[in-house]
Amino acid sequence: MGVGRLSASSYRFDNVVIRSQAAVVGPKEGEGPLGKYFDRIWPSELNHHTSSEEAELALLTEAQNLALVKAGVEWSQVDLVMGGDLLDQLIATDFAARGHQRPLAGLFSACAVFTESVGLGAMIIAGGGPTVVLAAASSHHMSAERQFRYPIELGYQRTPTAAWTSTAAGACLLVEGRPVKEPDLIIESATFGRVIDWGTKNPNDMATAMAPAAFDTIKQHLRDVGRDISYYDQVYTGDLGVLGVKLLDAMARQEGLDWSSYLDDCGKSLYDTQRQDVHNGGSGPGCSASVFSGFLCRQLRSKEFRRVLLVSTGALFSPTSYKQGESIPAIAHAVAISRMN
Amino acid sequence: MAKVRKLSPEMKKYQNMAGRLRPGKPIVKNAVAAFFVGGLICSVGQGAQWFFMRHGMTPKEATSPTTVVMIGVGALLTGLGWYDRVVKVGGMGGSLPITGFSNAMVAPAMDSRTEGLVLGVGAKLFTVAGPVLTYGLAAAFVVGLLRYLITGVA
Amino acid sequence: MTFLWAFVIGGLLCVLAQLTLDLFSLTPAHVLVLFVVLGALFGGVGLYGKLVDFAGAGATVPLPGFGYTLVTGIGEAVKTKGVLGLLTGGLAAAAGGIKSAVLFGLAVALIFKPKT
């Protein structure tokens, strides 16, 4: 079997590769520092669709289709589609599946769903299940605003810790086998996180809510694979943003670990936080999905990086739970990806 | 749901650290912006009132048509997609004037257009403005009642 | 002169609301509800009326002015109609504002689409 159990949280794989990937983003994400790495950039947030929900569905579908085209794989060859989004009842992921008609495992862990999908996908492939899995995640700024915050045209001031939900989708095609040709990237291992809640209640400060979950998962992962953080060229968290990376670094320091040169964050990288008025940085399932599928995969293939750990982070609250005064639980899932030589 | 979860010393220490690292709200800058944006909107309102007074209304009579004009301006600017920018700069200077109230009614209605005219636009018109109307009416009733009971007239 | 006082008083009311929002970490909705209730309270004891005489639109355009309108409407209705005025006076006085907000809201929602 191609899967090894390292602990209750972590598994190692020796026969799963990422054959292709695609990232499609909105105009604001396209104007950001990573703009040139994305496969497609929409000219407008809605791109001629009538609702933001419909736009998110189209964005996700486009990323999924493109990942298959790049690998030269037909939809009929895909065994299982995995992934999720932020919308109630996963309507982007579910409605996309209405179109592609392949078996679907819809998942939810808020903005951590991309690494949850890739990790689980790798595990079931390595365990001898399906051989071709498409893992994808999406988010849309306007549909998320409507669901979690306020109507689009309602005026309000964002606080300095607020995150900007990205309009972005990313998809990766995972296949069984040893790496055969140049574009293949290896999924080495995955660590599934615990739900951590350290009492943060402010829905406009998800960085503080999520940083302890990211810390817990990274520590667990390093312990399980028996490595120091320097094993990775870079550890990318999902959407901790400017504040979250500082908190993560500070938590490591308290335990005598110096992680500062290894930490970076997808949400912080996706936008120019000085110029683009996004405050703490980007968020949403599409954030880590697109930064990984667009930027990080290319950095790995261009030999900029040898090995990265992607740790998507999710705040598991609902508009109801925070109005009821509940604190915000968070989760982080990690996948380790390396290039073949 | 267990609302009150006890924070362990470790969690408290973390929350304190987060409090130190968290960027503060620009309180002074926000207040200054609120003053100028709010003041400007009120001056526009005063301009409308002045117009109605020139046409023979008393200041009291002019209040109602002034409100209507300001609500119209707020609604139009919301439709054009500009009012959210006014509030982004001015904060409560944009939200507290009646133009902001208009924005609070129009924005959710516009947004819910795709959900239909009845369950979308019709139902969502009051989602943000509803609490203001509810508690405004309730408070006015209580104040009026107390005054009536104390003075005999309201 | 009224223009200047409208600017200053209107601006100061907004500053007060902004400070309430920023210092007590409330949501904007909580602050708006608080201010409309305060307008009704100060209107009821006669203080807000003095501010309106002094600052004109600077006091009537901000939301506490709405609470004040509701209370003064009740006061006048009670004088003419008796106790029933407690129920009818408030909305009658604010009818122009509320009805125009509904109509404008409908019209704009039908004509315009949300941007970003």
Side-chain angles (χ1 to χ4, degrees), chain C residues 26-44:
Chain C
L26 296 169
T27 69
H30 283 87
V31 176
L32 296 178
V33 166
L34 178 70
F35 271 66
V36 86
V37 170
L38 287 177
L41 281 178
F42 285 103

Side-chain angles (χ1 to χ4, degrees), chain B residues 30 46 79 92 96 98 113, chain C residues 18 22 57 61 63 110 115:
Chain B
N30 283 352
Q46 188 63 42
M92 277 293 150
L96 196 68
I98 200 80
R113 178 74 197 280
Chain C
Q18 184 71 39
D22 284 349
V61 169
L63 216 47
L110 296 184
K115 292 147 194 87

Side-chain angles (χ1 to χ4, degrees), chain A residues 158-181:
Chain A
R158 310 178 81 85
T159 59
T161 51
W164 183 274
T165 309
S166 55
T167 299
C172 279
L173 190 72
L174 318 181
V175 298
E176 195 222 350
R178 313 242 164 218
V180 284
K181 49 184 188 193

Side-chain angles (χ1 to χ4, degrees), chain A residues 97-151:
Chain A
R98 180 177 62 187
H100 63 62
Q101 288 292 303
R102 299 311 297 164
L104 172 75
L107 303 169
F108 184 84
S109 53
C111 312
V113 74
F114 182 68
T115 46
E116 185 184 8
S117 309
V118 173
L120 277 177
M123 188 152 75
I124 57 175
I125 289 174
T131 56
V132 180
V133 169
L134 183 63
S138 68
S139 52
H140 191 285
H141 179 72
M142 289 165 81
S143 61
E145 283 283 301
R146 262 162 62 73
Q147 184 173 313
F148 286 96
R149 295 192 179 98
Y150 297 107

Side-chain angles (χ1 to χ4, degrees), chain C residues 18-95:
Chain C
Q18 184 71 39
L19 290 176
T20 313
L21 178 76
D22 284 349
L23 296 177
F24 301 99
S25 348
L26 296 169
T27 69
H30 283 87
V31 176
L32 296 178
V33 166
L34 178 70
F35 271 66
V36 86
V37 170
L38 287 177
L41 281 178
F42 285 103
V45 296
L47 286 175
Y48 206 84
K50 292 202 171 86
L51 196 67
V52 170
D53 294 338
F54 177 63
T60 54
V61 169
L63 216 47
F66 183 68
Y68 160 77
T69 305
L70 294 173
V71 159
T72 47
I74 287 177
E76 278 157 26
V78 169
K79 273 179 204 144
T80 53
K81 294 184 198 155
V83 187
L84 193 64
L86 285 173
L87 291 176
T88 59
L91 271 179

Side-chain angles (χ1 to χ4, degrees), chain A residues 222 227-235 258-259 262 307:
Chain A
L222 294 176
R227 303 277 187 177
D228 184 73
I229 195 163
S230 59
Y231 179 61
Y232 297 101
D233 293 298
Q234 205 77 50
V235 174
D258 183 5
W259 286 1
Y262 295 97
R307 190 179 281 112

Side-chain angles (χ1 to χ4, degrees), chain A:
Chain A
M1 291 289 249
V3 56
R5 186 180 193 273
L6 301 171
S7 77
S9 311
S10 301
Y11 299 85
R12 135 192 95 61
F13 320 112
D14 56 21
N15 62 342
V16 187
V17 299
I18 296 177
R19 177 128 305 155
S20 72
Q21 72 293 310
V24 184
V25 301
K28 193 179 174 97
E29 292 69 23
E31 284 164 19
L34 304 183
K36 61 178 176 206
Y37 297 103
F38 299 122
D39 296 282
R40 276 185 205 155
I41 298 166
W42 276 14
S44 68
E45 287 283 333
L46 287 180
N47 200 20
H48 312 302
H49 296 283
T50 51
S51 71
S52 46
E53 290 75 15
E54 196 187 300
E56 181 171 342
L57 161 63
L59 195 75
L60 174 63
T61 306
E62 207 172 310
Q64 289 177 330
N65 284 336
L66 204 55
L68 295 192
V69 169
K70 283 165 92 174
V73 167
E74 299 286 329
W75 270 110
S76 58
Q77 295 168 272
V78 176
D79 293 327
L80 182 63
V81 178
M82 300 180 87
D85 53 83
L86 274 183
L87 300 180
D88 288 339
Q89 287 76 41
L90 295 187
I91 55 171
T93 302
D94 292 345
F95 285 28
R98 180 177 62 187
H100 63 62
Q101 288 292 303
R102 299 311 297 164
L104 172 75
L107 303 169
F108 184 84
S109 53
C111 312
V113 74
F114 182 68
T115 46
E116 185 184 8
S117 309
V118 173
L120 277 177
M123 188 152 75
I124 57 175
I125 289 174
T131 56
V132 180
V133 169
L134 183 63
S138 68
S139 52
H140 191 285
H141 179 72
M142 289 165 81
S143 61
E145 283 283 301
R146 262 162 62 73
Q147 184 173 313
F148 286 96
R149 295 192 179 98
Y150 297 107
I152 306 296
E153 294 298 343
L154 183 77
Y156 71 102
Q157 264 174 339
R158 310 178 81 85
T159 59
T161 51
W164 183 274
T165 309
S166 55
T167 299
C172 279
L173 190 72
L174 318 181
V175 298
E176 195 222 350
R178 313 242 164 218
V180 284
K181 49 184 188 193
E182 186 51 45
D184 286 353
L185 295 172
I186 300 159
I187 305 180
E188 291 189 353
S189 59
T191 300
F192 299 98
R194 302 185 289 171
V195 173
I196 307 279
D197 184 344
W198 279 15
T200 306
K201 287 194 169 177
N202 182 358
N204 290 313
D205 182 9
M206 293 192 287
T208 305
M210 296 189 301
F215 185 55
D216 188 73
T217 298
I218 296 172
K219 252 191 343 186
Q220 180 74 44
H221 175 83
L222 294 176
R223 199 183 308 138
D224 291 342
V225 297
R227 303 277 187 177
D228 184 73
I229 195 163
S230 59
Y231 179 61
Y232 297 101
D233 293 298
Q234 205 77 50
V235 174
Y236 269 83
T237 45
D239 49 8
L240 292 183
V242 180
L243 173 62
V245 174
K246 274 188 201 157
L247 286 168
L248 185 55
D249 185 36
M251 273 185 284
R253 243 169 246 284
Q254 279 177 349
E255 300 199 359
L257 305 161
D258 183 5
W259 286 1
S260 52
S261 54
Y262 295 97
L263 298 180
D264 209 331
D265 182 73
C266 299
K268 197 175 140 187
S269 315
L270 183 56
Y271 304 103
D272 181 336
T273 48
Q274 300 297 319
R275 195 173 52 78
Q276 288 188 295
D277 194 35
V278 292
H279 299 93
N280 192 47
S283 67
C287 177
S288 62
S290 65
V291 171
F292 177 74
S293 308
F295 174 64
L296 289 175
C297 283
R298 273 177 218 225
Q299 294 301 87
L300 284 163
R301 297 216 170 99
S302 67
K303 311 206 164 155
E304 203 63 42
F305 291 145
R306 171 87 177 80
R307 190 179 281 112
V308 295
L309 185 68
L310 180 70
V311 191
S312 300
T313 40
L316 305 174
F317 73 110
S318 82
T320 306
S321 72
Y322 82 77
K323 280 184 216 149
Q324 289 177 333
E326 271 282 1
S327 52
I328 300 172
I331 197 162
H333 302 298
V335 286
I337 318 280
S338 60
R339 69 176 143 80
M340 35 189 299
N341 46 47

